[in-house]
Amino acid sequence: MESQHVLIIGAGLAGTSLAHELLARGHRVQMVDRGENHSTAIAAGMVNPMVFRRMNKSWRLEEFMEDATKFYQEMEKVLAHKLFHPIVIRRMLSSEQERKYWIERSKLPEFQDYLTELNREDDDYNLAKNSFGSGRLKASFWIDAKSYYDRNQAYFAENKCLTKEEFQADEFNENTLIYKGISYDKVVFCVGYQQMNTPFFQDLPIQQTKGQTLRIRSEEIPEEESLNRKCFVLPLGNQVFRIGATYEWDNPDLTPTEAAKHELVEHLSVLGNFHYEIIDQQVGVRPTVLDRRPILGEHHAIKNMYLFNGLGTKGYLMAPTLAKELCRHMFEGIPLDKETSIDRFYKKLNLR
Ligand SMILES: Cc1cc2nc3c(=O)[nH]c(=O)nc-3n(C[C@H](O)[C@H](O)[C@H](O)COP(=O)(O)OP(=O)(O)OC[C@H]3O[C@@H](n4cnc5c(N)ncnc54)[C@H](O)[C@@H]3O)c2cc1C
């Protein structure tokens, strides 16, 4: 296929995963990012294959997991930086019901790659409060999110395909797809929770879900695994841990709050009466959608203008596969998954 020139607005997880996929397919990319990121760079970057509440696998887990694992390992080479960290998540079970679900599921073939069967050691685990036993997850990992964002900024800037600036709507002609005098074949908006402040896709329901985490230092919390119950405890090395995360719907405010700090401290106390000092508190905003599915696809009226957004709480798991699917749709006309397609909203608005 002939190489095309694609303009991407926003160089967070959505924009960068798409850019790498486009480059791998031989296209040319230009990115615009104002260099102020409050999601991709703030994230804990955890990839947890399970949804513990119902003890189910994450949506489309197998496809997403395979692509994500390959993508971040490849990114380590491209960005010349350690990003991919396998980690065992130890779930401290919260009830007899959850324990029963775990025992049942872990015996099923479709869960074998993700749940270990409970053993005596898991039942007797005493490095955290243990009322109903504990279980370990396989295949989980975390990405060093801040480095992922910073290294991508440097990589695309060095390759002269990233401009650090606010997207200038008055310098963009949507009929010709000319931006600042340069003509593009396609334009993709990947602006995360700031979508309502960017023209063209404002009528789509991206919610702004504020999230806060703490960094703490403790000599008492185990560092070999990531404890989980009510909150996650991610070991970062040298007795430093990330504790998260809170959820506040429809709140784009970037101020850290005492209420969130107290919530996280309280949740951590469910895992143990650990001694620790708080190092700092991080705040970000996730781009989420009420139906918990991302939004991908072409604008209802402007040809060759696309959206890639709504990565929500599991962005690091989903982005690599979705970037591929968007590319196949843009260049080969392959329909998008109905659950992620922008059409589900355009149909409701009678725009498609
Ligand atoms: C506290 C917290 C913890 C999280 N933890 C996890 C986790 O453990 N695992 C996980 O998978 N996910 C996690 N997430 C979610 C994950 O971070 C998001 O799904 C993902 O980063 C969203 O990426 P994005 O590219 O859509 O948006 P963003 O990262 O917000 O990127 C959008 C980019 O667009 C740019 N931009 C916006 N408007 C303009 C404009 N007008 N002009 C120029 N540039 C513009 C911004 O500068 C920004 O860099 C967490 C999020 C938060 C807030």
Side-chain angles (χ1 to χ4, degrees), residues 325-344:
E325 291 182 357
L326 183 56
C327 278
R328 279 187 214 125
H329 179 65
M330 285 162 58
F331 298 101
E332 296 158 35
I334 296 175
L336 289 160
D337 177 346
K338 282 200 177 79
E339 283 190 77
T340 61
S341 172
I342 200 167
D343 287 356
R344 69 193 195 277

Side-chain angles (χ1 to χ4, degrees), residues 49-66:
M50 297 294 292
V51 180
F52 286 130
R53 251 176 305 125
R54 281 177 250 128
M55 205 50 82
N56 279 333
K57 284 195 276 186
S58 253
W59 174 63
R60 293 181 59 189
L61 177 65
E62 276 76 12
E63 299 160 81
F64 288 154
M65 203 57 160
E66 191 181 343

Side-chain angles (χ1 to χ4, degrees), residues 40-53:
T40 298
I42 292 295
M46 290 193 76
V47 171
N48 174 348
M50 297 294 292
V51 180
F52 286 130
R53 251 176 305 125

Side-chain angles (χ1 to χ4, degrees), residues 10-14 32-37 39-40 42-46 149 165-167 190-192 194 211 284-287 309 311-316:
L13 189 52
V32 175
D33 188 284
R34 62 172 157 229
E36 218 187 81
N37 187 285
S39 201
T40 298
I42 292 295
M46 290 193 76
Y149 177 76
E165 63 173 21
E166 179 79 28
F167 171 66
C190 302
V191 292
Q194 281 140 335
V285 185
R286 312 165 181 92
N309 207 346
L311 286 176
T313 57
K314 295 225 169 197
Y316 276 88

Side-chain angles (χ1 to χ4, degrees), residues 150-215:
D150 289 347
R151 291 276 163 159
N152 267 300
Q153 289 272 304
Y155 174 81
F156 287 112
E158 273 161 29
N159 287 288
K160 310 236 173 312
C161 43
L162 170 74
T163 322
K164 258 192 205 178
E165 63 173 21
E166 179 79 28
F167 171 66
Q168 311 287 318
D170 54 351
E171 301 218 39
F172 177 64
N173 182 325
E174 66 267 31
N175 300 312
T176 56
L177 301 189
I178 290 176
Y179 181 61
K180 294 198 160 182
I182 297 173
S183 173
Y184 294 92
D185 298 298
K186 298 188 188 326
V187 178
V188 189
F189 282 82
C190 302
V191 292
Y193 78 97
Q194 281 140 335
Q195 187 172 295
M196 47 283 281
N197 304 324
T198 321
F200 308 116
F201 293 100
Q202 284 154 329
D203 43 1
L204 294 171
I206 286 290
Q207 295 174 314
Q208 303 173 313
T209 307
K210 180 173 180 178
Q212 301 188 54
T213 60
L214 294 177
R215 256 185 347 134

